[in-house]
């Protein structure tokens, strides 16, 4: 039978969850460690049971160091050595594959979700899980007919289910296949908290965002170095009285122009987009348009002009050009889009369906598209994720590799990848 | 503070006594007894029919024997009238019926239970008093009167006499060779000795701690030796039973839905949140709150930990499906309400022992904490206004 004070400690830890102060829990944990094992069949009450309490228990580190080897049963494999996304298939589902850091720097300069990039830095390796939505998308991409207009795929799902990382998976695949990648890491960044809004040089009604545009151009340059010299512009563009780009000069010049002359950066972006759209139909290269948080293009903005009037998204030149880009009136490539509630403005937290997040206007603009639902982890994927964390020694709690610990984590995160990652960060 | 109330007819008067403040020594006794066990002691009533100020209230008013007898008569008559009023049979009208009737006729919203109207037998209301201890010639009745604590010493004398009898009997048996050992431990479980205050009250006389300890030691010595039935009965007079701690938890019956799946429903409350949970017997650990997945309804990990507590405690984490509805309160109180509802519903699927464990863990108790009221002259419930020196 349980002694009353053991129960009172357990009750204290559960019923007053607000007091997560270290001394409180460590005192309680110390009290529990000193208890002897109870009668078998009675409630097991040891400190490790309290897996989910947030603070770091110092004794758990020592315990982990004593048993370094996690259980390596054959089913607890979480990695695959298949580095090429093109060869990822059903058998790789749930397994992590490694992306070389060099590729990471080229493909995703500043465009990873912040928590994932922190994880990459911590583990000093970038591993993505192969999941069903991504596999489905890759399958479609492999079988696209480039003579048809560009197909639009929309990844949608609840918060934290892995839409952005699936997008990254697809981008990696396309990069390996030598496509030209037009990646907008987060369209929400373009519609909120911009500092410098200038009236557009090209069109008086629109507004420029020089800072965002130049950042994007820099990233674009890093990603697609080799294409910039290959593609030639089709028209002459005059930037101002002294500078202009001649017809037939490489696209790299336009990009350079945008980066150096920040005032013209937005127009440079517009030019790039227009050129790429026109030229991808010719078949010289394949174009992947990947936009994360595409619902920003049709929502509201929080930007104001000097006279405090709200700016509509179409008045932003960047948004306008991007909208033209995701229209499927060109061929020779694909458009992969992701909806995101996290950065969206004025949308309820529980909204995740395309209809809700895009609004009527956006839905009509994007119609027809292929929706792909990204859901929470399946049990196999969950196991694999936990195994991955254990292999990287990320989970230090001694109960983390036991069945009960896994069940607790499963309950608390409900197999949501984002939640699981946040929970495991505490352990 | 007696308030004589006259009802329905001038010929008959009832007395309804308010259980007033107890005298100091007995109040301490009351709290000590409550600490020892859960029985509520009889209420006490201090003085005064008069309307004078109770300045010298420490000296207890003496009630004459006639006065007490008159009170008892009036109480009995009042009891019969009350029974008639309530439409019950006056012959079989018990004290519980009286209590219920009074609570019905005089509903009181007072929090202090002792401040509510009561109608009890005068013996329970008026403190026991000692009759005059000496006769007309001035000679005391009791032979131990001049010891000062006559009842105590007579009790000790009686107990010691019994002890000597028992020992004499034992010696006789031993001499005859029929002595046999017998251990008596079964009496002691479930009962406790009288505490000092209770003994004082029984003897109507003040005792000191040493006296009390001596008496208890004597009784225990009496228990150790083998004694006959009358001695047992004598000792049992000074023991009170201790009620068993665990209350019986109401276990919800199982219900079966269309597919034959067993489920159980129950409710829970916390602060101002009310929740109703339906726990299905077989499931995969999905929980839906107001139709929304619990991960979306409770984005904070703390709330989800609260939901996890009952299942984790019973080691049934992925085994049940739950559908619940909740309203009112805030985020944390809704989580607490759902937790209570789920724990109560789980009782139906679980053994009695585990129900007891859950009760001890506090899963089945509704949290009584509510928001404390703001008092006038203070900024909040506890916070005072900023103190300015001048």
């Amino acid at each position: 039978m349980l002694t009353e004070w053991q129960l009172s400690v357990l009750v204290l830890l559960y019923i007053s969850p607000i007091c997560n102060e270290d001394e409180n829990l460590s005192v309680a944990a110390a009290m529990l460690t000193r208890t002897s094992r109870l009668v078998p069949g009675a409630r097991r009450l040891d400190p490790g049971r309290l897996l989910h309490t947030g603070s770091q228990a110092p004794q758990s580190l020592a315990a982990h160091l004593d048993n370094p080897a996690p259980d390596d049963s054959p089913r607890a494999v979480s990695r695959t050595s298949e580095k090429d996304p093109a060869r990822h298939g059903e058998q790789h589902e749930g397994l992590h594959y490694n992306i070389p850091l060099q590729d990471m720097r080229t493909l995703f300069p500043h465009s990873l979700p912040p928590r994932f990039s922190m994880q990459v830095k911590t583990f000093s390796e970038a591993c993505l899980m192969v999941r069903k939505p991504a596999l489905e998308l890759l399958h479609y991409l492999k079988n696209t007919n480039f003579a048809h207009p560009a197909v639009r795929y929309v990844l949608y799902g609840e918060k934290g289910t892995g839409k952005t990382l699936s997008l990254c998976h697809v981008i990696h695949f396309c990069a390996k296949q030598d496509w030209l990648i037009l990646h907008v890491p987060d369209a929400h960044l373009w519609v909120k908290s911009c500092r410098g809004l200038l009236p557009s040089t090209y069109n008086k009604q629109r507004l420029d965002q020089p800072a965002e545009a130049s950042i994007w151009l820099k990233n674009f340059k890093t990603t697609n170095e080799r294409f910039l010299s290959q593609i030639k512009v089709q028209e002459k563009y005059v930037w101002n009285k002294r500078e202009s780009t001649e017809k037939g000069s490489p696209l790299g010049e336009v990009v350079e122009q945008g980066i150096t002359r920040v005032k013209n950066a937005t127009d440079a972006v517009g030019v790039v987009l227009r050129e790429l759209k026109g030229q991808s139909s010719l078949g010289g290269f394949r174009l992947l348009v990947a936009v994360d948080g595409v619902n920003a293009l049709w929502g509201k903005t929080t930007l104001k002009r000097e006279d405090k009037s709200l700016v509509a998204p179409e008045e932003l030149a960047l948004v306008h050009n991007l909208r033209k880009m995701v229209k499927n009136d060109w061929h020779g490539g694909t458009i992969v889009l992701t909806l995101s509630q996290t950065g969206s403005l004025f949308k309820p937290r529980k909204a995740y369906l395309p209809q809700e997040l895009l609004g009527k206007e956006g839905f009509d603009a994007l119609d027809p598209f292929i929706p792909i639902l990204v859901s929470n982890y399946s049990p196999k994927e969950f196991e694999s994720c936990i195994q991955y964390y254990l292999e990287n020694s990320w989970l230090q709690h001694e109960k983390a590799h036991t069945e009960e610990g896994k069940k607790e984590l499963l309950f608390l995160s409900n197999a949501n990848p984002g939640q699981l990652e946040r929970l495991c960060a505490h352990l | 503070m007696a308030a004589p109330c006259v009802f329905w007819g001038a010929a008959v008067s009832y007395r309804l006594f308010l259980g007033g403040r107890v005298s100091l020594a007995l109040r301490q006794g009351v709290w000590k007894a409550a600490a020892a066990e859960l029985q509520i002691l009889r209420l006490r009533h201090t003085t005064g029919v008069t309307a004078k100020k109770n300045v010298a209230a420490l000296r207890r008013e003496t009630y004459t024997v006639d006065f007490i007898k008159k009170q008892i008569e009036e109480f009995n008559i009042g009891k019969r009238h009350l029974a008639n009023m309530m439409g019950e049979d006056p012959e079989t009208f018990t004290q519980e019926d009286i209590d219920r009737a009074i609570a019905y006729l005089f509903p009181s919203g007072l929090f202090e239970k002792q401040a509510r109207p009561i109608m009890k037998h005068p013996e329970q209301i008026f403190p026991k008093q000692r009759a005059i201890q000496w006769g007309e010639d001035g000679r005391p009745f009791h032979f131990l009167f001049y010891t000062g604590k006559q009842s105590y010493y007579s009790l000790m004398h009686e107990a010691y006499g019994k002890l000597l009898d028992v020992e004499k009997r034992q010696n006789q048996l031993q001499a005859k060779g029929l002595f046999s050992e017998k251990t008596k431990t079964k009496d002691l479980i479930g009962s406790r000795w009288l505490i000092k205050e209770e003994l004082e009250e029984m003897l109507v006389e003040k005792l000191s701690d040493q006296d009390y300890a001596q008496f208890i030691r004597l009784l225990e010595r009496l228990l150790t030796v083998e004694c006959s039935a009358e001695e047992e009965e004598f000792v049992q007079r000074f023991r009170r039973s201790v009620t068993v701690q665990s209350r019986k938890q109401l276990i919800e019956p199982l219900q079966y839905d269309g597919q034959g799946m067993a489920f159980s429903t129950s409710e829970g409350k916390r602060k101002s949140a009310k929740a109703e949970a339906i726990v299905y017997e077989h499931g995969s650990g999905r929980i839906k709150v107001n139709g929304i997945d619990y991960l979306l309804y409770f984005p904070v990990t703390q709330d989800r930990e609260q939901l996890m507590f009952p299942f984790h405690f019973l080691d049934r984490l992925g085994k049940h499906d739950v559908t619940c509805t909740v309203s009112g309160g805030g985020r944390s109180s809704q989580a607490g309400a759902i937790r209570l509802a789920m724990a109560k519903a789980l009782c139906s699927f679980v053994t009695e022992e585990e129900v007891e464990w859950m009760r001890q863990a506090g899963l089945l108790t509704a949290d009584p904490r509510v928001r404390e009221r703001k008092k006038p002259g203070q900024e909040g419930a506890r916070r005072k206004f900023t103190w300015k020196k001048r």
Side-chain angles (χ1 to χ4, degrees):
Chain A
M1 239 354 234
L2 290 159
T3 62
E4 288 290 335
W5 63 267
Q6 284 172 351
L7 269 170
S8 63
V9 165
L10 176 64
V11 160
L12 168 76
L13 284 161
Y14 270 104
I15 286 190
S16 52
I18 315 151
C19 42
N20 265 337
E21 294 110 10
D22 281 34
E23 65 267 10
N24 206 354
L25 273 174
S26 61
V27 161
M31 275 165 79
L32 284 172
T33 36
R34 271 187 257 122
T35 66
S36 52
R37 278 277 175 189
L38 299 169
V39 179
R43 299 278 95 212
R44 284 166 298 121
L45 193 69
D46 35 59
R49 200 164 167 89
L50 311 165
L51 177 72
H52 54 277
T53 52
S55 69
Q56 308 271 346
Q59 69 232 358
S60 53
L61 185 58
H64 185 78
L65 291 173
D66 289 333
N67 353 324
D71 48 352
D72 39 11
S73 45
R75 63 173 175 83
V77 167
S78 71
R79 286 182 201 262
T80 172
S81 47
E82 190 57 72
K83 290 259 171 45
D84 187 6
R87 289 201 288 270
H88 284 158
E90 293 287 329
Q91 71 276 22
H92 294 114
E93 194 183 320
L95 304 176
H96 294 84
Y97 80 98
N98 201 345
I99 305 183
L101 282 173
Q102 192 54 43
D103 283 354
M104 294 294 288
R105 263 189 291 255
T106 344
L107 287 178
F108 307 116
H110 313 283
S111 37
L112 283 177
R115 287 196 81 95
F116 185 66
S117 54
M118 278 196 286
Q119 186 182 307
V120 165
K121 208 163 88 164
T122 317
F123 294 165
S124 57
E125 60 169 3
C127 276
L128 279 187
M129 194 195 277
V130 178
R131 294 184 71 197
K132 228 203 266 240
L135 282 176
E136 203 185 317
L137 204 50
L138 292 180
H139 177 74
Y140 292 148
L141 284 179
K142 282 178 209 164
N143 302 347
T144 35
N145 184 349
F146 293 104
H148 292 160
V151 189
R152 284 185 284 227
Y153 304 97
V154 174
L155 288 165
Y156 71 102
E158 306 258 337
K159 187 165 144 180
T161 43
K163 303 181 281 287
T164 310
L165 285 186
S166 303
L167 192 69
C168 294
H169 191 177
V170 168
I171 292 176
H172 187 219
F173 163 74
C174 294
K176 278 277 183 313
Q177 303 275 309
D178 229 13
W179 292 33
L180 199 154
I181 300 184
L182 199 86
H183 179 47
V184 177
D186 194 359
H188 291 296
L189 293 174
W190 290 359
V191 298
K192 43 185 182 177
S193 49
C194 293
R195 299 243 90 211
L197 275 182
L198 305 169
S200 171
T201 42
Y202 182 71
N203 189 336
K204 283 288 168 290
Q205 272 101 26
R206 295 203 213 123
L207 294 168
D208 259 1
Q209 284 151 301
E212 281 80 24
S214 59
I215 293 171
W216 186 81
L217 279 173
K218 276 197 218 97
N219 292 339
F220 179 71
K221 187 170 141 191
T222 334
T223 318
N224 303 303
E225 285 280 6
R226 57 184 185 284
F227 285 104
L228 294 177
S229 40
Q230 282 173 12
I231 305 173
K232 308 278 183 255
V233 289
Q234 305 274 338
E235 288 172 26
K236 179 172 152 97
Y237 296 103
V238 178
W239 303 111
N240 49 30
K241 276 200 238 45
R242 263 165 269 155
E243 287 169 14
S244 63
T245 316
E246 297 302 321
K247 178 173 164 176
S249 54
L251 200 60
E253 259 195 46
V254 177
V255 177
E256 285 298 332
Q257 177 71 33
I259 295 177
T260 44
R261 290 261 175 271
V262 181
K263 261 185 80 166
N264 299 328
T266 322
D267 293 328
V269 171
V271 161
V272 164
L273 291 181
R274 193 197 299 181
E275 287 299 317
L276 289 177
K277 195 158 148 180
Q279 299 202 3
S280 69
S281 320
L282 304 175
F285 54 87
R286 308 223 199 104
L287 179 60
L288 169 74
V289 179
V291 184
D292 202 338
V294 75
N295 45 327
L297 301 182
W298 284 279
K300 288 192 227 173
T301 65
T302 48
L303 304 173
K304 292 198 176 86
R305 290 197 202 94
E306 281 82 24
D307 52 353
K308 307 276 173 74
S309 57
L310 263 185
V311 173
E314 8 333 299
E315 292 175 25
L316 291 167
L318 281 177
V319 170
H320 182 84
N321 293 329
L322 200 56
R323 275 198 202 176
K324 283 196 282 193
M325 201 67 202
V326 301
K327 233 190 326 190
N328 56 351
D329 48 1
W330 50 279
H331 57 268
T334 17
I335 312 177
V336 182
L337 308 168
T338 314
L339 297 176
S340 164
Q341 195 280 328
T342 322
S344 72
L345 300 159
F346 310 107
K347 286 277 183 281
R349 187 170 55 85
K350 301 201 175 97
Y352 72 98
L353 297 168
Q355 183 77 25
E356 296 162 350
L357 281 176
L358 287 171
K360 186 164 182 320
E361 206 190 310
F363 198 82
D364 292 333
L366 281 185
D367 205 19
F369 60 88
I370 300 181
I372 302 179
L373 172 65
V374 183
S375 57
N376 288 331
Y377 280 153
S378 67
K380 183 168 156 234
E381 289 173 341
F382 181 78
E383 271 292 327
S384 162
C385 189
I386 299 271
Q387 207 55 39
Y388 173 65
Y389 286 137
L390 283 171
E391 276 172 27
N392 282 65
S393 316
W394 187 233
L395 299 175
Q396 289 293 326
H397 203 285
E398 65 265 2
K399 275 270 182 164
H401 53 269
T402 57
E403 276 309 311
E404 299 121 8
K406 283 185 196 151
K407 272 200 242 177
E408 278 185 46
L409 281 173
L410 181 63
F411 187 99
L412 279 178
S413 63
N414 201 20
N416 186 292
Q419 278 299 320
L420 181 64
E421 197 265 314
R422 279 177 166 80
L423 273 176
C424 294
H426 291 304
L427 294 174
Chain B
M1 287 163 245
C5 316
V6 180
F7 295 95
W8 296 276
V12 179
S13 68
Y14 313 106
R15 281 193 201 264
L16 212 56
F17 299 104
L18 292 167
R21 301 187 72 82
V22 298
S23 65
L24 199 59
L26 278 173
R27 152 81 62 85
Q28 287 170 354
V30 164
W31 289 121
K32 272 195 200 165
E37 43 140 0
L38 290 176
Q39 277 180 354
I40 301 176
L41 286 192
R42 296 174 297 195
L43 297 170
R44 284 270 154 261
H45 174 73
T46 51
T47 156
V49 188
T50 58
K52 275 197 235 158
K53 276 198 305 189
N54 281 330
V55 178
L58 281 180
R59 185 177 62 84
R60 271 195 270 177
E61 287 265 349
T62 45
Y63 302 106
T64 50
V65 179
D66 300 324
F67 174 77
I68 299 279
K69 263 204 255 181
K70 204 162 68 113
Q71 295 294 318
I72 293 178
E73 273 169 33
E74 282 186 356
F75 172 77
N76 286 326
I77 295 172
K79 198 166 95 166
R80 295 185 75 89
H81 278 288
L82 190 62
N84 279 331
M85 265 199 285
M86 300 301 289
E88 312 232 355
D89 182 16
E91 306 297 331
T92 57
F93 205 57
T94 59
Q95 183 59 45
E96 283 117 21
D97 295 327
I98 297 180
D99 291 334
R100 243 180 295 132
I102 295 298
Y104 170 69
L105 290 170
F106 300 96
S108 161
L110 298 173
F111 289 123
E112 178 67 49
K113 297 276 198 284
Q114 291 174 333
R116 294 181 181 179
I118 53 162
M119 179 167 163
K120 293 218 190 285
H121 193 87
E123 260 181 21
Q124 293 172 3
I125 295 182
F126 295 103
K128 276 208 276 196
Q129 303 214 310
R130 303 165 74 173
I132 306 290
Q133 312 278 329
W134 50 88
E136 278 176 7
D137 53 351
R139 198 157 169 261
F141 296 131
H142 203 283
F143 71 103
L144 288 176
F145 175 77
Y146 287 111
T147 59
K149 298 184 257 192
Q150 62 177 45
S151 339
Y152 169 71
Y153 282 113
S154 74
L155 193 64
M156 289 289 281
H157 179 74
E158 202 186 328
Y160 194 62
K162 287 196 169 15
L163 185 66
L164 287 178
D165 287 336
V166 164
E167 284 187 349
K168 200 164 76 175
R169 226 180 314 122
Q170 266 191 355
N171 289 337
Q172 285 172 351
L173 284 178
Q174 227 169 4
K176 285 192 207 158
L178 299 170
F179 182 68
S180 58
E181 288 283 344
K182 195 177 83 165
T183 46
K184 279 190 286 278
T185 44
K186 57 179 175 56
D187 317 305
L188 304 177
I189 299 174
S191 61
R192 58 163 185 93
W193 289 118
L194 276 186
I195 54 170
K196 180 162 163 270
E197 279 74 19
E198 284 171 342
L199 189 60
E200 277 184 3
E201 188 193 322
M202 202 165 158
L203 301 176
V204 200
E205 130 185 311
K206 285 240 175 302
L207 295 178
S208 76
D209 289 329
Q210 291 89 346
D211 295 335
Y212 171 71
Q214 191 75 10
F215 179 60
I216 297 293
R217 246 179 281 147
L218 189 58
L219 285 179
E220 280 179 356
R221 199 170 145 205
L222 198 55
L223 270 184
T224 51
V225 296
E226 183 192 321
C227 44
S228 66
E230 55 196 72
E231 275 119 26
E232 285 271 359
E233 203 225 300
F234 174 74
V235 172
Q236 285 301 334
R237 261 175 38 201
F238 301 102
R239 287 196 76 91
R240 295 278 176 269
S241 68
V242 173
T243 49
V244 180
Q245 284 279 356
S246 61
R247 287 171 298 150
K248 280 295 156 201
Q249 175 67 25
L250 234 145
I251 298 187
E252 290 290 331
L254 279 182
Q255 298 165 55
Y256 291 89
D257 68 354
Q259 278 85 27
M261 170 90 94
F263 69 94
S264 155
T265 320
S266 63
E267 292 167 347
K269 271 203 281 208
R270 167 96 215 270
K271 268 190 188 175
S272 59
K274 292 199 199 347
E276 200 206 319
I278 308 171
V279 176
Y280 293 93
E281 194 179 353
H282 302 289
S284 60
R286 274 192 301 270
I287 302 187
K288 279 220 165 249
V289 183
N290 286 355
I292 301 173
D293 197 43
Y294 70 107
L295 186 70
L296 295 178
Y297 195 81
F298 292 121
V300 181
T301 314
Q302 170 190 324
D303 300 332
R304 273 175 277 137
E305 284 177 12
Q306 290 288 299
L307 293 194
M308 194 171 84
F309 185 16
F311 296 111
H312 186 237
F313 190 75
L314 298 170
D315 252 343
R316 283 164 179 252
L317 263 177
K319 300 199 186 130
H320 294 281
D321 264 346
V322 183
T323 314
C324 31
T325 48
V326 68
S327 62
R331 149 198 87 110
S332 174
S333 39
Q334 279 187 346
I338 299 180
R339 180 186 106 178
L340 181 63
M342 284 203 303
K344 280 200 201 155
L346 274 177
C347 285
S348 347
F349 297 114
V350 138
T351 62
E352 291 272 341
E353 222 182 33
E354 292 187 311
V355 172
E356 180 59 22
W357 285 335
M358 281 218 283
R359 186 194 71 86
Q360 286 187 358
L363 273 169
L364 301 175
T365 322
D367 201 332
R369 299 178 283 180
V370 284
R371 181 146 167 235
E372 200 174 311
R373 116 170 215 213
K374 174 197 174 319
K375 283 106 191 172
Q378 294 177 1
E379 197 169 309
R382 299 283 172 104
R383 159 121 177 108
K384 322 282 186 280
F385 288 121
T386 314
W387 181 72
K388 298 258 174 57
K389 199 163 180 179
R390 47 187 71 83

